Short mmCIF file of all heavy atoms in Angstrom, two decimals:
data_model
loop_
_atom_site.label_atom_id
_atom_site.label_comp_id
_atom_site.label_asym_id
_atom_site.label_seq_id
_atom_site.Cartn_x
_atom_site.Cartn_y
_atom_site.Cartn_z
N MET B 424 0.29 -27.57 2.72
CA MET B 424 -0.40 -26.65 3.63
C MET B 424 -0.37 -25.25 3.02
O MET B 424 0.68 -24.71 2.74
CB MET B 424 0.32 -26.65 4.98
CG MET B 424 -0.46 -25.90 6.04
SD MET B 424 0.29 -26.06 7.66
CE MET B 424 1.72 -24.97 7.49
N SER B 425 -1.53 -24.66 2.81
CA SER B 425 -1.56 -23.34 2.21
C SER B 425 -1.74 -22.25 3.25
O SER B 425 -2.33 -22.47 4.30
CB SER B 425 -2.66 -23.26 1.15
OG SER B 425 -3.90 -23.52 1.72
N SER B 426 -1.22 -21.08 2.96
CA SER B 426 -1.31 -19.94 3.85
C SER B 426 -1.85 -18.76 3.07
O SER B 426 -1.95 -18.81 1.85
CB SER B 426 0.07 -19.60 4.42
OG SER B 426 0.68 -20.74 4.95
N GLN B 427 -2.16 -17.70 3.78
CA GLN B 427 -2.67 -16.50 3.12
C GLN B 427 -1.90 -15.29 3.60
O GLN B 427 -1.56 -15.19 4.77
CB GLN B 427 -4.14 -16.28 3.46
CG GLN B 427 -5.06 -17.33 2.89
CD GLN B 427 -6.53 -17.01 3.18
OE1 GLN B 427 -6.83 -16.15 3.98
NE2 GLN B 427 -7.42 -17.71 2.52
N ILE B 428 -1.61 -14.36 2.70
CA ILE B 428 -1.07 -13.07 3.10
C ILE B 428 -1.85 -11.97 2.36
O ILE B 428 -2.49 -12.24 1.35
CB ILE B 428 0.43 -12.91 2.80
CG1 ILE B 428 0.71 -13.08 1.31
CG2 ILE B 428 1.26 -13.88 3.61
CD1 ILE B 428 2.08 -12.57 0.92
N SER B 429 -1.78 -10.77 2.90
CA SER B 429 -2.42 -9.64 2.23
C SER B 429 -1.49 -9.13 1.15
O SER B 429 -0.29 -8.98 1.36
CB SER B 429 -2.71 -8.51 3.22
OG SER B 429 -3.37 -9.00 4.34
N CYS B 430 -2.06 -8.82 0.01
CA CYS B 430 -1.29 -8.25 -1.07
C CYS B 430 -0.82 -6.84 -0.69
O CYS B 430 -1.63 -6.04 -0.24
CB CYS B 430 -2.15 -8.19 -2.33
SG CYS B 430 -1.34 -7.31 -3.68
N PRO B 431 0.48 -6.56 -0.82
CA PRO B 431 0.99 -5.23 -0.47
C PRO B 431 0.48 -4.14 -1.42
O PRO B 431 0.49 -2.96 -1.08
CB PRO B 431 2.51 -5.39 -0.56
CG PRO B 431 2.73 -6.56 -1.43
CD PRO B 431 1.53 -7.46 -1.25
N ASP B 432 0.05 -4.54 -2.58
CA ASP B 432 -0.39 -3.55 -3.57
C ASP B 432 -1.87 -3.18 -3.43
O ASP B 432 -2.23 -2.02 -3.41
CB ASP B 432 -0.12 -4.07 -4.99
CG ASP B 432 1.35 -4.02 -5.32
OD1 ASP B 432 2.08 -3.28 -4.63
OD2 ASP B 432 1.78 -4.71 -6.25
N CYS B 433 -2.75 -4.20 -3.35
CA CYS B 433 -4.18 -3.91 -3.36
C CYS B 433 -4.88 -4.35 -2.09
O CYS B 433 -6.06 -4.09 -1.91
CB CYS B 433 -4.83 -4.58 -4.58
SG CYS B 433 -4.98 -6.36 -4.43
N GLY B 434 -4.16 -5.03 -1.18
CA GLY B 434 -4.78 -5.46 0.07
C GLY B 434 -5.62 -6.71 -0.08
O GLY B 434 -6.25 -7.15 0.87
N GLY B 435 -5.63 -7.30 -1.26
CA GLY B 435 -6.36 -8.55 -1.50
C GLY B 435 -5.65 -9.73 -0.86
O GLY B 435 -4.56 -9.59 -0.32
N ILE B 436 -6.28 -10.89 -0.93
CA ILE B 436 -5.71 -12.08 -0.32
C ILE B 436 -4.93 -12.87 -1.37
O ILE B 436 -5.43 -13.14 -2.45
CB ILE B 436 -6.82 -12.99 0.26
CG1 ILE B 436 -7.60 -12.24 1.36
CG2 ILE B 436 -6.24 -14.29 0.80
CD1 ILE B 436 -6.79 -11.92 2.58
N ILE B 437 -3.69 -13.23 -1.02
CA ILE B 437 -2.91 -14.12 -1.87
C ILE B 437 -2.77 -15.45 -1.14
O ILE B 437 -2.23 -15.50 -0.04
CB ILE B 437 -1.51 -13.55 -2.18
CG1 ILE B 437 -1.63 -12.13 -2.76
CG2 ILE B 437 -0.77 -14.47 -3.16
CD1 ILE B 437 -0.26 -11.49 -3.00
N VAL B 438 -3.31 -16.51 -1.73
CA VAL B 438 -3.19 -17.84 -1.14
C VAL B 438 -1.94 -18.50 -1.72
O VAL B 438 -1.75 -18.53 -2.93
CB VAL B 438 -4.43 -18.70 -1.46
CG1 VAL B 438 -4.29 -20.08 -0.84
CG2 VAL B 438 -5.69 -18.02 -0.94
N PHE B 439 -1.07 -18.99 -0.83
CA PHE B 439 0.16 -19.61 -1.31
C PHE B 439 0.50 -20.83 -0.47
O PHE B 439 0.00 -21.00 0.64
CB PHE B 439 1.32 -18.61 -1.29
CG PHE B 439 1.76 -18.23 0.10
CD1 PHE B 439 2.88 -18.83 0.67
CD2 PHE B 439 1.06 -17.28 0.84
CE1 PHE B 439 3.30 -18.49 1.95
CE2 PHE B 439 1.47 -16.94 2.13
CZ PHE B 439 2.59 -17.54 2.68
N ASP B 440 1.31 -21.69 -1.02
CA ASP B 440 1.80 -22.87 -0.32
C ASP B 440 3.27 -22.64 -0.03
O ASP B 440 4.07 -22.45 -0.93
CB ASP B 440 1.60 -24.11 -1.18
CG ASP B 440 2.02 -25.38 -0.45
OD1 ASP B 440 3.22 -25.52 -0.14
OD2 ASP B 440 1.16 -26.22 -0.18
N ALA B 441 3.63 -22.65 1.27
CA ALA B 441 5.00 -22.30 1.66
C ALA B 441 6.02 -23.24 1.02
O ALA B 441 7.08 -22.81 0.58
CB ALA B 441 5.13 -22.34 3.18
N HIS B 442 5.69 -24.54 0.95
CA HIS B 442 6.64 -25.49 0.39
C HIS B 442 6.81 -25.27 -1.12
O HIS B 442 7.90 -25.37 -1.65
CB HIS B 442 6.20 -26.92 0.69
CG HIS B 442 6.33 -27.27 2.13
ND1 HIS B 442 7.54 -27.59 2.71
CD2 HIS B 442 5.42 -27.31 3.13
CE1 HIS B 442 7.36 -27.81 4.00
NE2 HIS B 442 6.08 -27.66 4.30
N ALA B 443 5.69 -24.98 -1.78
CA ALA B 443 5.76 -24.71 -3.22
C ALA B 443 6.55 -23.43 -3.48
O ALA B 443 7.32 -23.34 -4.43
CB ALA B 443 4.35 -24.59 -3.80
N LEU B 444 6.35 -22.45 -2.59
CA LEU B 444 7.08 -21.20 -2.71
C LEU B 444 8.59 -21.45 -2.60
O LEU B 444 9.39 -20.89 -3.34
CB LEU B 444 6.61 -20.25 -1.60
CG LEU B 444 6.89 -18.75 -1.78
CD1 LEU B 444 6.15 -18.21 -3.00
CD2 LEU B 444 6.46 -17.99 -0.56
N LEU B 445 8.95 -22.34 -1.68
CA LEU B 445 10.36 -22.69 -1.49
C LEU B 445 10.93 -23.41 -2.72
O LEU B 445 12.11 -23.34 -2.99
CB LEU B 445 10.54 -23.58 -0.26
CG LEU B 445 10.47 -22.85 1.08
CD1 LEU B 445 10.50 -23.85 2.22
CD2 LEU B 445 11.64 -21.88 1.23
N ARG B 446 10.06 -24.11 -3.42
CA ARG B 446 10.51 -24.81 -4.64
C ARG B 446 10.67 -23.85 -5.80
O ARG B 446 11.10 -24.24 -6.87
CB ARG B 446 9.52 -25.92 -5.02
CG ARG B 446 9.62 -27.15 -4.14
CD ARG B 446 8.94 -28.34 -4.80
NE ARG B 446 7.54 -28.07 -5.09
CZ ARG B 446 6.53 -28.36 -4.25
NH1 ARG B 446 6.79 -28.90 -3.08
NH2 ARG B 446 5.30 -28.09 -4.57
N GLY B 447 10.28 -22.59 -5.59
CA GLY B 447 10.45 -21.59 -6.64
C GLY B 447 9.19 -21.28 -7.41
O GLY B 447 9.23 -20.57 -8.42
N GLU B 448 8.04 -21.81 -6.94
CA GLU B 448 6.79 -21.51 -7.63
C GLU B 448 6.34 -20.08 -7.35
O GLU B 448 6.66 -19.51 -6.31
CB GLU B 448 5.71 -22.51 -7.20
CG GLU B 448 5.93 -23.87 -7.82
CD GLU B 448 4.77 -24.81 -7.53
OE1 GLU B 448 3.63 -24.35 -7.37
OE2 GLU B 448 5.03 -26.02 -7.46
N THR B 449 5.60 -19.53 -8.28
CA THR B 449 5.11 -18.16 -8.16
C THR B 449 3.60 -18.17 -7.94
O THR B 449 2.88 -18.94 -8.57
CB THR B 449 5.44 -17.38 -9.45
OG1 THR B 449 6.85 -17.40 -9.64
CG2 THR B 449 4.97 -15.94 -9.34
N PHE B 450 3.13 -17.31 -7.04
CA PHE B 450 1.69 -17.18 -6.78
C PHE B 450 1.24 -15.78 -7.15
O PHE B 450 1.99 -14.82 -7.01
CB PHE B 450 1.39 -17.50 -5.32
CG PHE B 450 1.70 -18.93 -4.98
CD1 PHE B 450 2.98 -19.32 -4.62
CD2 PHE B 450 0.71 -19.89 -5.07
CE1 PHE B 450 3.27 -20.65 -4.35
CE2 PHE B 450 0.99 -21.22 -4.80
CZ PHE B 450 2.27 -21.59 -4.45
N VAL B 451 0.01 -15.68 -7.66
CA VAL B 451 -0.47 -14.42 -8.20
C VAL B 451 -1.66 -13.91 -7.39
O VAL B 451 -2.55 -14.67 -7.04
CB VAL B 451 -0.87 -14.59 -9.68
CG1 VAL B 451 -1.38 -13.27 -10.26
CG2 VAL B 451 0.30 -15.11 -10.49
N CYS B 452 -1.66 -12.62 -7.09
CA CYS B 452 -2.78 -11.98 -6.41
C CYS B 452 -4.00 -12.01 -7.32
O CYS B 452 -3.91 -11.64 -8.48
CB CYS B 452 -2.42 -10.54 -6.06
SG CYS B 452 -3.80 -9.59 -5.41
N THR B 453 -5.13 -12.46 -6.75
CA THR B 453 -6.34 -12.52 -7.56
C THR B 453 -6.89 -11.13 -7.84
O THR B 453 -7.68 -10.94 -8.75
CB THR B 453 -7.42 -13.37 -6.86
OG1 THR B 453 -7.59 -12.87 -5.54
CG2 THR B 453 -7.01 -14.82 -6.82
N GLY B 454 -6.49 -10.13 -7.02
CA GLY B 454 -7.01 -8.78 -7.19
C GLY B 454 -6.29 -8.00 -8.27
O GLY B 454 -6.92 -7.44 -9.17
N CYS B 455 -4.95 -7.93 -8.18
CA CYS B 455 -4.21 -7.05 -9.08
C CYS B 455 -3.15 -7.78 -9.89
O CYS B 455 -2.40 -7.17 -10.62
CB CYS B 455 -3.56 -5.93 -8.26
SG CYS B 455 -2.19 -6.50 -7.23
N ARG B 456 -3.09 -9.11 -9.75
CA ARG B 456 -2.13 -9.92 -10.52
C ARG B 456 -0.68 -9.68 -10.11
O ARG B 456 0.23 -10.01 -10.86
CB ARG B 456 -2.27 -9.68 -12.03
CG ARG B 456 -3.69 -9.90 -12.53
CD ARG B 456 -3.89 -11.35 -12.94
NE ARG B 456 -5.31 -11.65 -13.09
CZ ARG B 456 -5.81 -12.87 -13.12
NH1 ARG B 456 -5.01 -13.90 -12.97
NH2 ARG B 456 -7.07 -13.09 -13.27
N ALA B 457 -0.47 -9.09 -8.93
CA ALA B 457 0.91 -8.96 -8.44
C ALA B 457 1.46 -10.36 -8.18
O ALA B 457 0.73 -11.25 -7.76
CB ALA B 457 0.93 -8.13 -7.17
N MET B 458 2.75 -10.55 -8.43
CA MET B 458 3.34 -11.87 -8.27
C MET B 458 4.09 -12.00 -6.96
O MET B 458 4.84 -11.11 -6.56
CB MET B 458 4.26 -12.17 -9.45
CG MET B 458 3.48 -12.25 -10.75
SD MET B 458 4.21 -13.39 -11.92
CE MET B 458 5.68 -12.52 -12.38
N LEU B 459 3.86 -13.13 -6.30
CA LEU B 459 4.54 -13.44 -5.06
C LEU B 459 5.54 -14.55 -5.35
O LEU B 459 5.17 -15.65 -5.76
CB LEU B 459 3.52 -13.91 -4.02
CG LEU B 459 4.08 -14.47 -2.71
CD1 LEU B 459 4.70 -13.38 -1.87
CD2 LEU B 459 3.00 -15.18 -1.92
N THR B 460 6.81 -14.25 -5.14
CA THR B 460 7.83 -15.26 -5.36
C THR B 460 9.01 -14.99 -4.43
O THR B 460 9.15 -13.88 -3.91
CB THR B 460 8.28 -15.29 -6.84
OG1 THR B 460 9.12 -16.41 -7.05
CG2 THR B 460 9.02 -14.02 -7.21
N LEU B 461 9.84 -15.99 -4.20
CA LEU B 461 11.00 -15.81 -3.33
C LEU B 461 12.26 -15.62 -4.16
O LEU B 461 12.46 -16.33 -5.14
CB LEU B 461 11.18 -17.05 -2.44
CG LEU B 461 10.26 -17.20 -1.24
CD1 LEU B 461 10.66 -18.46 -0.47
CD2 LEU B 461 10.35 -16.01 -0.32
N SER B 462 13.07 -14.69 -3.73
CA SER B 462 14.38 -14.57 -4.37
C SER B 462 15.27 -15.69 -3.86
O SER B 462 14.98 -16.32 -2.84
CB SER B 462 15.00 -13.21 -4.04
OG SER B 462 15.33 -13.16 -2.68
N ARG B 463 16.35 -15.96 -4.53
CA ARG B 463 17.23 -17.07 -4.12
C ARG B 463 17.77 -16.84 -2.71
O ARG B 463 17.93 -17.78 -1.95
CB ARG B 463 18.38 -17.21 -5.10
CG ARG B 463 17.93 -17.96 -6.33
CD ARG B 463 19.11 -18.42 -7.14
NE ARG B 463 18.63 -19.07 -8.36
CZ ARG B 463 19.44 -19.56 -9.28
NH1 ARG B 463 20.73 -19.46 -9.14
NH2 ARG B 463 18.96 -20.15 -10.35
N ASP B 464 18.07 -15.60 -2.38
CA ASP B 464 18.57 -15.30 -1.04
C ASP B 464 17.53 -15.63 0.01
O ASP B 464 17.85 -16.17 1.06
CB ASP B 464 18.96 -13.82 -0.94
CG ASP B 464 20.23 -13.52 -1.71
OD1 ASP B 464 20.90 -14.49 -2.13
OD2 ASP B 464 20.55 -12.34 -1.89
N SER B 465 16.28 -15.30 -0.28
CA SER B 465 15.21 -15.52 0.68
C SER B 465 14.95 -17.00 0.89
O SER B 465 14.60 -17.43 1.99
CB SER B 465 13.92 -14.85 0.20
OG SER B 465 14.13 -13.47 0.05
N VAL B 466 15.11 -17.81 -0.16
CA VAL B 466 14.82 -19.24 -0.05
C VAL B 466 15.63 -19.88 1.06
O VAL B 466 15.08 -20.60 1.89
CB VAL B 466 15.08 -19.96 -1.40
CG1 VAL B 466 15.07 -21.47 -1.20
CG2 VAL B 466 14.02 -19.57 -2.41
N SER B 467 16.92 -19.61 1.15
CA SER B 467 17.74 -20.24 2.19
C SER B 467 17.32 -19.74 3.57
O SER B 467 17.28 -20.51 4.52
CB SER B 467 19.22 -19.99 1.94
OG SER B 467 19.48 -18.60 1.98
N THR B 468 16.97 -18.47 3.69
CA THR B 468 16.52 -17.92 4.96
C THR B 468 15.22 -18.57 5.42
O THR B 468 15.09 -18.99 6.56
CB THR B 468 16.31 -16.39 4.85
OG1 THR B 468 17.48 -15.81 4.33
CG2 THR B 468 16.00 -15.79 6.21
N VAL B 469 14.26 -18.67 4.50
CA VAL B 469 12.96 -19.24 4.85
C VAL B 469 13.09 -20.74 5.12
O VAL B 469 12.48 -21.26 6.05
CB VAL B 469 11.94 -18.98 3.72
CG1 VAL B 469 10.62 -19.68 4.00
CG2 VAL B 469 11.70 -17.49 3.57
N ALA B 470 13.90 -21.43 4.33
CA ALA B 470 14.08 -22.86 4.53
C ALA B 470 14.68 -23.12 5.91
O ALA B 470 14.28 -24.05 6.61
CB ALA B 470 15.00 -23.44 3.45
N ASP B 471 15.62 -22.28 6.32
CA ASP B 471 16.24 -22.41 7.64
C ASP B 471 15.20 -22.20 8.73
O ASP B 471 15.11 -22.96 9.69
CB ASP B 471 17.37 -21.39 7.76
CG ASP B 471 18.16 -21.58 9.04
OD1 ASP B 471 18.54 -22.72 9.34
OD2 ASP B 471 18.38 -20.58 9.74
N ALA B 472 14.38 -21.16 8.58
CA ALA B 472 13.34 -20.86 9.56
C ALA B 472 12.34 -22.00 9.66
O ALA B 472 11.91 -22.37 10.75
CB ALA B 472 12.63 -19.57 9.20
N MET B 473 11.99 -22.59 8.52
CA MET B 473 10.99 -23.66 8.53
C MET B 473 11.54 -24.93 9.16
O MET B 473 10.81 -25.65 9.84
CB MET B 473 10.51 -23.93 7.11
CG MET B 473 9.56 -22.84 6.65
SD MET B 473 8.81 -23.16 5.06
CE MET B 473 7.82 -24.59 5.43
N SER B 474 12.82 -25.22 8.98
CA SER B 474 13.39 -26.41 9.59
C SER B 474 13.45 -26.26 11.11
O SER B 474 13.25 -27.20 11.85
CB SER B 474 14.78 -26.72 9.02
OG SER B 474 15.70 -25.73 9.41
N LYS B 475 13.71 -25.02 11.57
CA LYS B 475 13.69 -24.76 13.01
C LYS B 475 12.28 -24.93 13.56
O LYS B 475 12.09 -25.45 14.65
CB LYS B 475 14.20 -23.34 13.29
CG LYS B 475 15.70 -23.25 13.23
CD LYS B 475 16.15 -21.82 13.45
CE LYS B 475 17.67 -21.73 13.26
NZ LYS B 475 18.11 -20.34 13.11
N LEU B 476 11.30 -24.47 12.79
CA LEU B 476 9.90 -24.59 13.20
C LEU B 476 9.51 -26.07 13.30
O LEU B 476 8.83 -26.49 14.23
CB LEU B 476 9.02 -23.89 12.16
CG LEU B 476 7.69 -23.34 12.68
CD1 LEU B 476 7.93 -22.00 13.38
CD2 LEU B 476 6.72 -23.14 11.54
N ASP B 477 9.94 -26.88 12.32
CA ASP B 477 9.66 -28.30 12.34
C ASP B 477 10.27 -28.95 13.57
O ASP B 477 9.65 -29.79 14.22
CB ASP B 477 10.22 -28.97 11.08
CG ASP B 477 9.28 -28.80 9.90
OD1 ASP B 477 8.13 -28.37 10.12
OD2 ASP B 477 9.68 -29.12 8.78
N ALA B 478 11.50 -28.56 13.90
CA ALA B 478 12.17 -29.11 15.07
C ALA B 478 11.40 -28.77 16.34
O ALA B 478 11.24 -29.60 17.24
CB ALA B 478 13.60 -28.57 15.15
N LEU B 479 10.91 -27.55 16.42
CA LEU B 479 10.12 -27.12 17.58
C LEU B 479 8.83 -27.93 17.70
O LEU B 479 8.45 -28.35 18.78
CB LEU B 479 9.77 -25.64 17.46
CG LEU B 479 10.77 -24.65 18.04
CD1 LEU B 479 10.34 -23.22 17.76
CD2 LEU B 479 10.93 -24.85 19.54
N ARG B 480 8.19 -28.17 16.56
CA ARG B 480 6.94 -28.94 16.56
C ARG B 480 7.19 -30.36 17.05
O ARG B 480 6.44 -30.89 17.85
CB ARG B 480 6.37 -29.01 15.14
CG ARG B 480 5.52 -27.80 14.81
CD ARG B 480 4.75 -28.03 13.52
NE ARG B 480 4.32 -26.73 12.97
CZ ARG B 480 4.44 -26.39 11.69
NH1 ARG B 480 4.96 -27.22 10.84
NH2 ARG B 480 4.03 -25.23 11.28
N LYS B 481 8.28 -30.97 16.57
CA LYS B 481 8.60 -32.34 17.00
C LYS B 481 8.83 -32.38 18.49
O LYS B 481 8.39 -33.28 19.18
CB LYS B 481 9.86 -32.82 16.26
CG LYS B 481 9.54 -33.36 14.89
CD LYS B 481 10.81 -33.74 14.16
CE LYS B 481 10.53 -33.87 12.66
NZ LYS B 481 11.76 -33.68 11.88
N ARG B 482 9.55 -31.36 19.00
CA ARG B 482 9.85 -31.32 20.42
C ARG B 482 8.55 -31.21 21.24
O ARG B 482 8.40 -31.89 22.24
CB ARG B 482 10.78 -30.14 20.72
CG ARG B 482 11.65 -30.41 21.93
CD ARG B 482 12.56 -29.25 22.22
NE ARG B 482 13.50 -28.97 21.13
CZ ARG B 482 14.17 -27.82 21.01
NH1 ARG B 482 13.99 -26.86 21.87
NH2 ARG B 482 15.00 -27.63 20.02
N SER B 483 7.63 -30.35 20.80
CA SER B 483 6.39 -30.18 21.56
C SER B 483 5.54 -31.45 21.51
O SER B 483 4.85 -31.78 22.45
CB SER B 483 5.60 -28.97 21.07
OG SER B 483 5.15 -29.19 19.76
N ASN B 484 5.62 -32.20 20.40
CA ASN B 484 4.91 -33.48 20.32
C ASN B 484 5.47 -34.47 21.33
O ASN B 484 4.73 -35.19 21.98
CB ASN B 484 5.05 -34.09 18.92
CG ASN B 484 4.09 -33.45 17.93
OD1 ASN B 484 3.14 -32.79 18.35
ND2 ASN B 484 4.33 -33.63 16.66
N GLU B 485 6.80 -34.50 21.48
CA GLU B 485 7.42 -35.42 22.43
C GLU B 485 7.01 -35.09 23.85
O GLU B 485 6.74 -35.96 24.66
CB GLU B 485 8.94 -35.36 22.29
CG GLU B 485 9.43 -36.17 21.10
CD GLU B 485 10.86 -35.81 20.73
OE1 GLU B 485 11.57 -35.25 21.58
OE2 GLU B 485 11.25 -36.10 19.59
N VAL B 486 6.97 -33.78 24.16
CA VAL B 486 6.58 -33.35 25.50
C VAL B 486 5.16 -33.81 25.79
O VAL B 486 4.86 -34.34 26.85
CB VAL B 486 6.67 -31.81 25.64
CG1 VAL B 486 6.05 -31.33 26.94
CG2 VAL B 486 8.13 -31.37 25.57
N ARG B 487 4.30 -33.62 24.80
CA ARG B 487 2.90 -33.99 24.98
C ARG B 487 2.77 -35.50 25.22
O ARG B 487 2.02 -35.95 26.06
CB ARG B 487 2.11 -33.60 23.74
CG ARG B 487 0.75 -33.01 24.08
CD ARG B 487 0.06 -32.50 22.83
NE ARG B 487 0.66 -31.27 22.31
CZ ARG B 487 0.61 -30.88 21.03
NH1 ARG B 487 0.03 -31.64 20.13
NH2 ARG B 487 1.16 -29.77 20.65
N ARG B 488 3.56 -36.28 24.44
CA ARG B 488 3.48 -37.73 24.55
C ARG B 488 3.95 -38.22 25.93
O ARG B 488 3.32 -39.07 26.54
CB ARG B 488 4.36 -38.36 23.47
CG ARG B 488 3.61 -39.40 22.66
CD ARG B 488 4.49 -39.94 21.55
NE ARG B 488 4.50 -39.05 20.38
CZ ARG B 488 5.57 -38.87 19.58
NH1 ARG B 488 6.70 -39.47 19.82
NH2 ARG B 488 5.49 -38.07 18.54
N SER B 489 5.05 -37.65 26.43
CA SER B 489 5.60 -38.15 27.68
C SER B 489 4.74 -37.76 28.88
O SER B 489 4.72 -38.44 29.89
CB SER B 489 7.04 -37.62 27.88
OG SER B 489 7.01 -36.22 27.97
N SER B 490 4.00 -36.63 28.76
CA SER B 490 3.17 -36.22 29.89
C SER B 490 1.81 -36.93 29.87
O SER B 490 1.12 -37.00 30.87
CB SER B 490 2.94 -34.70 29.87
OG SER B 490 2.18 -34.35 28.73
N GLY B 491 1.44 -37.48 28.69
CA GLY B 491 0.14 -38.09 28.59
C GLY B 491 0.23 -39.55 28.86
O GLY B 491 -0.37 -40.24 29.59
ZN1 LIG S 1159 -3.05 -7.39 -5.26
#
């Protein structure tokens, strides 16, 4: 699943894949070639946030199933 963020340098669009980013891949701004990458400290923080998000999604799916 790919996402987009605005480049902090030129305001252009950087398309990135959150899972690939977590694996340590680097994405480059098409406008100014600025590099988007996660530091090792950030990886654990983002991975934790994403696992919580996944848990929330699963829970909302269960709610939907039981009410339908
Ligand atoms: Zn840029």
